Structure formats: structure tokens, C-alpha cells
């Protein structure tokens, strides 16, 4: 019995990828970041993509988020073949269908939180008065209702990431993509972000999180493992851990305990990944 | 209005990047102000030189006796060179409308320096002996009293008109009109004082006096004669048609050569100065001046442009990342281009306006300090300055946008 049937009986596929490859050409050398990936993700799924640094996670995520184009293979999003979409249509999809949370936040310099969050609304054609209200509402939802006038350099890393999440969510996308969302955060703020993801999942959003941290992956329903640009495993997460919706921002101590309470699983995951680690970028140790 | 929304984005982007925006604007301001003021100096100089020449009367020809030996156009000195062959008879022939219909006004002139005495005050100045036409040709204005008449010339009346400076030197605060002054020991009655021309130095009318030519040639100076008629130092002529001055010059030359019995191989024993050709050559000089100054301004414009370019190149990484992000959040390429065009437009317009303001400010300040010279801002300078600096701003503002819109969002976001 396939995973899809097991978990998502009856739900339509949102993302269908078949034999996707991506080759980066740098002068004479070619980097084959993806070497034929196939996967299907259904409406409302919470999926974690794990793998060592350099295994192709970000590359795949950028394809899914329509930020980049595959070299070969097909990608259908909500039934539409992406290679046949116009540039403007793809921009509209990024604007309304997909929320993207970057590892490095990618906020505009010297621009306050409210205006950051208003950006997708501007491109959606929302009138500025309404956009301001929606932006403040989105910031309030991520716990930054009192920081709307703060600029990135006046916010902590966790707060900046929450601004980025508010920006990703403000247009109520049906798909939320997060590339190592906790990678640059300390464990407390990382936990806050994960709690928010649990809530969003419960509200029915399709959620895909890239991570190399098992602690993060364990929150998902399904874990896809990449190695050297190939899917090496795609399994439901039997030990899914969900915080109760009312158990908001955990005490740092409790948080620390929870993350440290599964040392075995974490090392298992790491040992699984070690053979393919190419130290092209530092591994962000999060816990 | 959709476009207004982009103004919002552009202003926001300018506000968020004040330093970058003000440096860009500074480049435009420097360029515009420099071009406009330097070209303004050129045009101002040209205009004041032309005005000074035209204030002496337009459409003028001056015939001096003697061949061309480099007498200046305003030189009235007599007897330069050998025997003077220019006579009043020559002037009368030229004044004959039947023979020379192309000449509107002709006035002979016999000038010499002598001593003016009024009581214990004396001054050595030039007396210009001439006819009433002289006042018309040279635009002389009498503020007090009147100029002498043809009748007074015919009767050799003992009258004189004084230049403003000479009048105040001799009579100080008292009214000179009606009083007597001794000129070359001859008593003459002052009948008029000229308006001060403001010009100074050699050739200024302010320190000269004007008497009927008959008086000057006879009683005052006993002018030499040539073939029975009094010689003169020069003839002033106003042409009937400004555009026919060269033709008039040719006709005068023919008449005078015939009258002076010059053979085909003889050189002219007179010299004709044509004010039109003088103005023309002056125009060439002032145009060159304006161009040279404009080129200096152009260098500043270039410096300003390079300044803008540097700012843009320094910010291209940041801007490319910004474009990548905006595209990732759903901006169409047209959204990006519109934002950048409007941003550049706003900066260029603001910078251009400030630059124009500064150059008008400089013009105003110059006006406060001197009246004889002013900066003139021409439309050409205005358009040139705005055109060049705006295209700098647009090109360098659009460069990152054009490049980044071709990239996939992730490439732009990763741009280093
Ligand atoms: N823009 C790029 N140009 C060239 N090579 C790239 C580029 N982006 C990623 N790669 C290479 O592709 C492989 C996969 O990278 P990536 O998807 O970022 O891995 P991960 O996110 O899993 O760490 C790596 O070997 C990386 O060096
Ligand atoms: Mg990555």
C-alpha cells in the first residue's frame, strides 16, 4: 500500500513531480543537483524533506516554489504543467498559491515589518488601506502585533523569521514552503515557529518543510529523505509529534528537554545521512 | 489609478534608501547646475558684449580716412597716416538719396582734442564736430536741453552739447544749459547735456562734447583742406536695410574710389568698418566661448553621471536581490520595470529641479552683485542639462532592473 493511499485517501494531489532533474552548469563543470526525483504531495499534507547538506533539498524546494525551473522532467501544480505556464502566471501562483519561507529570511533592508508583509498584497492588487490591516493581522498572528513599525535590524532573528512567515501567509496561500525555517534560529524561537506550523497544518494548509534536523522533521506526517539528488526514502512519520494547539510558545527549558529527549532518533538520522555529506556548506546545528 | 500605486512603491524605496537616493540625486544636481550656470555665463557674456555694441546704434558703417592700418572701429583719431583725403564733399555725395538710396543717415565727423574752460575749472577732452544726424545714428539721448540743429550747422552757431561726465566736471551741480564755456579759447554756449551712457574709457560719449562740424572745422581747429574742401576724420552711416549692409559697403567703396581718383592698382585711402561683420565675428567668438564653457559644464555632467553610475553599480547587488525577492513574492516583470522607471524618474525630476533651482539662485546672486553682466539661462542649456542627466539616471536606474527581470527569481535572490 503506497504512502499516498495510506495517508491521503480521497484528497487531490497538489504537487506531482516526475523524473525531475536539475543540472547547474558552471563553466565547464556540471553539478547534477537533482538526478530524477518523483513524488506526489496531496492537499493538506505536512511533509518534511531531509537530507545532508548538498543533497538537493533547496534545489527541489525552489522548483516546487516556482522560483527556479527544472532541467528535465515534469512538474504539475494543481494539475497545471509548470513548463507551460507564462512568467506572469507563475508570478501570480507565487503570489497567491504559494507562501515561501527562506532560510535567510530575505527581508527588504530598512523597511518596517508592516511594509514587508504588505508586499505580496501590493502585487495582488489589494488596496493599501486594506493591505495595511491585513498585514497587521498577519503580524499579530505570528506574535508580532507590537512590532509592526520595526525594521529588520531592530528585530531578533526569530522575529525576522516570523515577519517572513507573516509575509508568506498574508495572501492565505494553500501551500506553505519553508526551507530550513529554523536553521538560523535558536531552539526557543525555532520551537515557536514549529508550533505555528502545527497550527497551520491543523487549519488545512499543505506544508512542506526542508530541514536537516530530525527534531524538526519529526513534527511532519511524512518524511522524504534525499541523498545526492535522489529520493532514498519516503515514509509516513509513525512517531509524529504534534504540540497541542493551546500549548503555545513553550518555556525554553521545556523546549530544550523535549528536543533532547530523543537523542537516539537524532543520531540514527544523522548516521543515515553521513555517507553523502559534502561539506559545501556548514551544517546548521540547531538543537 | 494603478500607476499611482507605483509612485507609492518608488517613494517608499527612496525613503528606505535615503543615502543611495540622495547620492544619485546629487550627481544629477551637480550635472544640471554646472551645465546651466557655465552655459549661462557664456550666453550672458555674449549678450552683454552684443548689447554694448548695439547700444552705439545698429546697422552702422564707419568710414575712416586713411587705408586700413588697424584703426579700431571706435577710433576717431584724425590724421593717422599720410594726407587726409576724406572730405565733407564725400559725405555730401553719400548723403545724396538719389546717388545712395541704400544709406539712411550720413554724418561727417571732425574730431580733435582741446581744452574746455569754465571759470577756474578746465578739462582736456575731445570735441566731435558733426551734424544732427550723428545723434540719430549713434542713439545719443539729450536729457537736459537739446542737440544742435542743421540750421545751427549751416550758420556756424557757437553752440555745444556736453557729455554727462564732462558737464559735471565743468559745471558741477549748476545747470550747464545756457551757460558759456571756452573751448579752444572760443566762447560757446551749452545747449544740451547727454544722458550718461555708463560706458567708460576710450570712445565713451560721456566725456566728449559735440559741436556743429562747421564750428569745429573753422573757428576751433582750422581743419586742413583737401582740393578746396575741409577734410574730416570719419563718416558715420546708418544703412537703410540691415541685411544690405555689405552691399552698401561696396557701393560706398565704388563712389569714394572714383571721387578720390584711385586707379585699379591703388589701395583705398579710407577704411570702412561694418558693424554687422563686427557683430558677426564677435558672435563667432562668443559662441565659441559658450561652447567652451558648456564643455566645462559637460565635464561636470560627466562627473555627475559617473557618480550616479557608481552608486548604481554599488547597489546593483542589493537591488538585484530586492528584485529577486519581489519576484518571489509575486511581482510581474512589468511591475519591477515600472517601479524602477518611476523611481529613476522621481530622482531625476527632483534632482533636475533642485539643479535648475540652484542655477537660477546663482543667476540671482550674480544679479545682486553686478548690473553690467548677467547669467542667461537658455532653453538649450536647460534641455541639454535635463536630458543628459535624466538619461544617466534612467539608464543606470534601469540597468539592474533590466538585468534582474531576465533572471529566475532564485538567481536574482542569490546574486552576489
Ligand atoms: N546556483 C547554483 N549553481 C551551482 N551549483 C549549485 C547551485 N545551487 C546549488 N548547487 C549545488 O547543487 C547541489 C545541491 O544544492 P542544494 O539544493 O542547495 O542542497 P541542500 O539545500 O540540500 O543543502 C550542491 O552540490 C550545490 O553545490
Ligand atoms: Mg539548502
Amino acid at each position: 500500500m503506497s504512502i499516498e493511499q495510506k495517508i491521503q485517501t480521497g484528497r487531490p494531489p497538489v504537487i506531482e513531480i516526475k523524473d525531475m532533474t536539475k543540472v547547474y552548469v558552471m563553466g565547464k563543470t556540471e553539478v547534477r543537483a537533482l538526478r530524477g526525483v518523483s513524488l506526489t504531495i496531496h492537499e493538506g499534507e505536512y511533509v518534511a524533506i531531509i537530507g545532508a547538506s548538498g543533497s538537493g533539498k533547496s534545489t527541489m524546494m525552489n522548483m516546487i516554489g516556482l522560483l527556479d525551473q527544472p532541467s528535465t522532467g515534469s512538474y504539475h501544480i494543481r494539475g497545471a504543467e509548470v513548463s507551460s505556464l507564462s512568467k506572469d502566471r507563475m508570478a501570480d501562483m507565487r503570489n497567491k498559491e504559494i507562501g515561501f519561507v527562506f532560510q535567510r529570511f530575505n527581508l527588504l533592508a530598512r523597511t518596517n515589518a508592516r511594509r514587508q508583509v504588505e508586499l505580496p498584497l501590493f502585487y495582488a492588487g489589494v488596496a493599501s488601506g486594506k493591505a495595511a490591516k491585513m498585514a497587521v493581522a498577519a503580524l499579530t498572528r505570528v506574535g508580532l502585533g507590537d512590532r509592526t513599525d520595526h525594521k529588520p535590524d531592530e528585530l531578533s532573528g526569530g522575529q525576522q523569521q516570523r515577519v517572513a512567515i507573516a509575509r508568506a501567509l498574508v495572501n492565505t496561500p494553500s501551500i506553505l514552503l519553508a526551507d530550513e525555517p529554523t536553521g538560523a534560529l535558536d531552539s526557543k524561537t525555532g520551537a515557536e515557529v514549529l508550533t505555528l506550523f502545527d497550527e497551520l497544518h491543523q487549519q488545512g494548509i499543505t506544508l512542506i518543510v526542508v530541514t536537516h534536523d530530525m527534531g524538526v522533521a519529526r513534527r511532519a506526517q511524512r518524511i522524504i529523505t534525499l541523498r545526492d539528488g535522489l529520493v532514498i526514502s519516503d515514509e509516513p512519520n509513525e512517531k509524529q509529534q504534534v504540540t497541542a494547539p493551546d500549548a503555545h510558545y513553550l518555556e525554553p527549558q521545556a523546549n530544550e528537554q523535549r528536543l533532547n529527549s530523543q537523542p537516539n532518533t537524532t543520531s540514527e538520522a544523522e548516521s543515515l545521512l553521513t555517507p553523502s555529506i559534502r561539506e559545501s556548506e556548514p551544517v546548521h546545528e540547531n538543537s | 489609478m494603478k500607476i499611482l500605486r507605483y509612485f507609492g512603491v518608488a517613494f517608499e524605496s527612496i525613503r528606505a534608501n535615503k543615502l543611495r537616493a540622495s547620492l544619485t540625486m546629487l550627481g544629477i544636481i551637480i550635472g544640471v547646475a554646472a551645465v546651466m550656470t557655465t552655459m549661462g555665463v557664456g550666453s550672458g557674456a555674449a549678450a552683454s558684449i552684443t548689447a554694448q555694441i548695439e547700444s552705439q546704434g545698429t546697422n552702422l558703417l564707419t568710414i575712416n580716412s586713411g587705408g586700413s592700418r588697424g584703426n579700431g572701429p571706435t577710433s576717431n583719431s584724425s590724421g593717422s597716416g599720410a594726407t587726409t583725403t576724406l572730405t565733407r564733399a564725400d559725405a555730401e555725395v553719400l548723403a545724396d538719396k538719389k546717388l545712395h538710396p541704400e544709406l539712411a543717415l550720413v554724418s561727417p565727423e571732425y574730431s580733435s582734442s582741446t581744452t574746455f574752460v569754465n571759470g577756474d575749472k578746465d578739462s582736456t577732452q575731445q570735441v566731435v564736430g558733426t551734424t544732427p544726424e550723428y545723434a540719430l545714428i549713434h542713439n545719443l539721448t539729450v536729457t537736459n536741453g537739446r542737440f544742435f540743429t542743421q540750421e545751427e550747422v549751416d550758420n556756424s552757431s557757437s553752440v555745444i552739447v556736453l557729455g554727462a561726465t564732462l558737464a559735471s566736471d565743468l559745471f558741477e551741480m549748476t545747470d550747464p544749459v545756457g551757460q558759456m564755456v571756452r573751448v579752444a579759447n572760443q566762447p560757446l554756449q551749452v545747449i544740451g547735456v547727454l544722458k550718461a551712457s555708463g560706458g567708460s574709457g576710450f570712445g565713451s560719449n560721456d566725456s566728449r562734447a559735440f559741436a556743429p562740424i562747421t564750428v569745429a572745422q573753422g573757428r576751433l581747429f582750422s581743419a586742413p583742406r583737401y582740393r578746396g574742401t575741409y577734410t574730416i576724420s570719419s563718416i558715420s552711416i546708418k544703412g537703410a536695410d540691415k541685411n544690405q549692409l555689405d552691399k552698401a559697403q561696396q557701393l560706398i567703396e565704388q563712389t569714394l574710389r572714383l571721387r578720390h581718383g584711385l586707379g585699379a592698382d591703388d589701395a583705398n585711402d579710407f577704411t570702412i568698418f561694418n558693424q554687422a561683420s563686427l557683430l558677426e565675428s564677435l558672435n563667432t567668438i562668443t559662441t565659441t566661448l559658450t561652447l567652451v564653457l558648456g564643455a566645462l559644464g559637460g565635464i561636470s555632467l560627466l562627473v555627475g553621471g559617473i557618480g550616479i553610475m557608481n552608486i548604481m553599480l554599488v547597489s546593483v547587488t542589493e537591488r538585484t536581490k530586492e528584485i529577486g525577492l519581489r519576484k518571489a513574492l509575486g511581482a510581474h516583470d512589468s511591475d519591477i520595470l515600472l517601479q524602477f522607471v518611476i523611481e529613476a524618474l522621481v530622482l531625476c525630476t527632483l534632482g533636475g529641479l533642485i539643479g535648475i533651482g540652484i542655477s537660477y539662485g546663482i543667476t540671482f546672486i550674480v544679479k545682486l552683485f553686478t548690473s553690467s553682466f548677467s547669467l542667461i539661462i537658455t532653453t538649450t542649456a536647460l534641455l541639454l542639462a535635463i536630458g543628459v542627466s535624466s538619461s544617466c539616471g534612467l539608464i543606470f536606474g534601469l540597468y539592474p532592473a533590466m538585468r534582474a527581470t531576465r533572471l529566475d527569481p532564485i538567481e536574482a535572490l542569490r546574486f552576489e
Side-chain angles (χ1 to χ4, degrees), chain A residues 173-219:
Chain A
S174 59
I175 305 165
L176 183 67
L177 307 176
D179 189 354
E180 311 231 14
T182 60
L185 304 182
D186 60 66
S187 51
K188 175 180 180 271
T189 45
E192 288 169 8
V193 166
L194 293 178
T195 309
L196 183 67
F197 284 177
D198 288 343
E199 275 178 50
L200 290 167
H201 169 55
Q202 269 149 28
Q203 284 156 16
I205 202 166
T206 306
L207 189 56
I208 306 173
V209 179
V210 159
T211 182
H212 59 257
D213 177 353
M214 266 318 284
V216 174
R218 221 172 279 122
R219 309 287 277 265

Side-chain angles (χ1 to χ4, degrees), chain B residues 23 49 56 92 114 118 176 207 253 256 263 283 291 310 331 337 352 380 393 402:
Chain B
L23 285 174
I49 291 169
Q56 312 198 345
E92 272 152 29
T114 189
N118 173 39
S207 51
E253 198 173 341
L256 291 182
N283 271 342
L291 280 179
N310 281 335
L337 285 176
T380 327
M402 299 290 251

Side-chain angles (χ1 to χ4, degrees), chain A residues 24 62 67-69 87-88 91-92 94-95 102 106 108-111 115 119-120 122-123 125-127 167, chain B residues 5-6 9 12 16-17 318 322 325-333 335 339 405 408-410 413-414:
Chain A
Y24 292 110
N62 294 336
L67 298 175
D68 204 354
Q69 309 219 9
K87 278 182 101 178
D88 284 354
D92 291 340
R94 288 195 293 269
N95 185 240
F102 302 90
N106 282 330
L108 278 185
R110 300 172 290 275
T111 304
R115 297 219 177 267
L119 277 177
F122 174 80
Y123 293 115
V126 177
R167 184 178 65 190
Chain B
R5 290 165 55 84
Y6 291 93
V9 175
E12 208 173 284
N17 301 281
E318 192 191 17
E322 177 192 335
L325 176 66
R326 287 178 182 277
K327 286 175 73 164
L329 297 178
H332 292 187
D333 288 350
D335 292 324
Q339 179 200 330
T405 48
D408 276 319
I410 199 71
L413 263 172
R414 280 213 205 100

Side-chain angles (χ1 to χ4, degrees), chain B residues 74-294:
Chain B
T74 52
S75 163
N76 294 306
S77 57
S78 59
S80 61
T83 339
T84 302
T85 52
L86 203 61
T87 64
R88 278 191 68 186
D90 290 331
E92 272 152 29
V93 170
L94 293 178
D96 190 332
K97 282 277 176 311
K98 286 199 223 50
L99 296 171
H100 283 279
E102 76 280 3
L103 306 180
L105 294 166
V106 177
S107 165
E109 176 186 339
Y110 182 83
S111 312
S112 193
S113 283
T114 189
T115 309
F116 292 71
V117 180
N118 173 39
D120 57 349
K121 287 182 270 300
D122 66 291
S123 177
T124 301
Q125 297 295 354
Q126 197 178 41
V127 177
V128 179
T130 186
T131 58
E133 284 83 6
Y134 187 94
L136 301 174
I137 295 169
H138 293 280
N139 288 339
L140 301 185
T141 326
V142 182
T143 46
N144 185 5
R146 59 176 180 83
F147 208 76
F148 50 81
T149 62
Q150 186 59 44
E151 206 177 8
E152 283 164 331
V153 173
D154 295 341
N155 297 338
S156 297
S157 302
S158 302
V159 293
I160 193 158
V161 174
L162 301 178
T165 314
L166 180 58
S168 60
D169 283 352
L170 294 172
F171 293 94
E172 293 185 334
M173 306 306 279
T174 57
D175 184 3
V177 176
Q179 302 202 48
M180 301 301 287
V181 60
R182 292 189 76 82
V183 182
N185 279 323
Q186 299 291 320
L188 299 178
Q189 188 181 27
V190 179
I191 56 164
V193 177
L194 294 182
K195 181 182 168 193
S197 69
S200 59
F202 193 64
S204 162
N205 288 326
D206 288 356
S207 51
R208 286 199 241 167
F210 300 83
I213 189 167
T214 46
V215 176
Q217 288 175 319
R219 245 176 301 151
L220 297 185
F221 304 124
S222 321
R225 288 169 192 256
Y226 179 74
R227 292 182 184 168
T229 34
Y230 279 122
T231 59
I232 52 178
S233 357
S234 64
I235 305 173
S236 297
I237 294 170
K238 191 182 184 98
D241 183 349
K242 197 174 182 171
N243 304 318
Q244 299 285 318
L245 227 49
D246 287 336
K247 182 89 169 96
Q249 185 176 346
Q250 280 174 20
L251 294 172
I252 292 166
E253 198 173 341
Q254 276 174 19
T255 302
L256 291 182
R257 283 185 69 86
L258 203 68
R259 285 182 53 81
H260 294 186
L262 298 176
D265 297 335
D266 295 328
N268 285 349
D269 57 356
F270 54 88
T271 317
I272 305 175
F273 290 101
N274 184 333
Q275 201 200 41
S277 51
L278 175 73
L279 271 177
E280 217 164 85
S281 51
L282 266 173
N283 271 342
T284 329
I285 294 167
T286 51
T287 309
T288 315
L289 181 77
T290 310
L291 280 179
V292 169
L293 287 170

